[in-house]
Amino acid sequence: MRPYHLIPAVPALALVLMPFLPFVNTDGLWFGLPRMLVWGAAWCVLCTPALLLTERLMGAEKAELADTTTAIAAEGTDQ
């Protein structure tokens, strides 16, 4: 498992733990809305950049692997 696979786990874990976090699951308002609504909406919005970052890191790794493979193949044909 690559470290970038853990990036989307952070928002997912925050959403799963939402009912158990005492500072979220209490009476009160954040920005005039219930705390759980703000917490859930914020982490749902943060899922998109987390998935984007993971995709970019995976793409960079694949490109690096392809460049290495191409370089090795080119060395083999020169001989």
Side-chain angles (χ1 to χ4, degrees):
M1 178 182 240
R2 305 276 193 264
Y4 54 74
H5 289 133
L6 297 175
I7 296 170
V10 174
L13 187 63
L15 288 169
V16 169
L17 293 177
M18 179 172 52
F20 306 109
L21 297 173
F23 62 91
V24 176
N25 193 10
T26 58
D27 292 338
L29 300 176
W30 287 346
F31 306 112
L33 296 169
R35 291 179 180 203
M36 288 185 81
L37 181 67
V38 174
W39 181 265
W43 284 107
C44 283
V45 168
L46 288 173
C47 281
T48 302
L51 290 171
L52 178 65
L53 180 60
T54 301
E55 181 185 10
R56 296 263 171 99
L57 291 173
M58 287 174 60
E61 183 183 48
K62 285 181 182 178
E64 181 180 315
L65 182 62
D67 289 343
T68 305
T69 306
T70 305
I72 291 171
E75 288 176 7
T77 57
D78 290 340
Q79 293 177 357

